Amino acid sequence: MFLQKPVKPDWKKVLLGFLLLAIMVLVLDVGCMFRRITGVPCPGCGMTRACFAAMRFDFKQAFYYHPLWILPAPLALAVVFFPRGVFVSPRAEKIAAIVLLGLVLGVYAVRMILLFPDTPPMEYQSENLLYWLASLVGLV
Ligand SMILES: [Zn+2]
């Protein structure tokens, strides 16, 4: 058999995880911690806005904010139903992880080339922690 058998998830933990994630995204409005620290957008920047656009069935806007907006839902389901991994073979698991990582980094590179530093969601955040620290010690 190529794929693992799905397990019955602990729905209380799944619900608690989604609830905590929703609180973090909606109430705290933390945004991207990577961008707050470095000023540079991360490979996931725009994903939340893309998923909200997809929930409004505005798929053009979803692809604009993040072309890989379709991935989080199946990945979350895979984590819930296949906690030991999707594939039986460790080699297949490793190949899938490498392909996924390559896809994410490739899309990130294209978005950085086309949109950085001034087009949302890939804009530079001038008020970032590294810049603030550098200004404290007189580097900038
Ligand atoms: Zn980000």
Side-chain angles (χ1 to χ4, degrees):
M1 186 74 183
F2 186 58
L3 298 173
Q4 297 264 9
K5 284 187 177 179
V7 298
K8 188 176 179 186
D10 182 348
W11 289 110
K12 287 181 182 175
K13 287 182 182 174
V14 171
L15 194 63
L16 181 65
F18 279 112
L19 189 65
L20 290 174
L21 186 65
I23 288 171
M24 191 179 89
V25 170
L26 298 174
V27 177
L28 298 178
D29 193 26
V30 290
C32 179
M33 291 308 293
F34 186 84
R35 187 189 336 232
R36 285 184 183 230
I37 293 170
T38 65
V40 178
C42 77
C45 272
M47 187 61 85
T48 306
R49 283 173 275 182
C51 289
F52 281 129
M55 284 188 251
R56 293 187 311 267
F57 300 103
D58 187 352
F59 300 113
K60 184 179 176 187
Q61 193 72 16
F63 273 106
Y64 171 76
Y65 280 130
H66 203 298
L68 301 178
W69 65 270
I70 196 89
L71 286 181
L75 289 177
L77 290 175
V79 168
V80 170
F81 288 103
F82 301 93
R84 294 183 303 262
V86 174
F87 301 103
V88 171
S89 156
R91 180 173 153 72
E93 198 77 34
K94 201 177 287 183
I95 289 170
I98 290 170
V99 167
L100 186 61
L101 182 66
L103 183 66
V104 168
L105 292 179
V107 167
Y108 178 60
V110 170
R111 294 172 77 213
M112 286 298 281
I113 291 167
L114 295 178
L115 303 175
F116 187 77
D118 53 7
T119 307
M122 302 303 282
E123 71 270 29
Y124 176 74
Q125 183 173 346
S126 58
E127 293 178 9
N128 62 71
L129 181 65
L130 290 180
Y131 185 85
W132 179 74
L133 289 174
S135 67
L136 277 182
V137 295
L139 292 176
V140 289

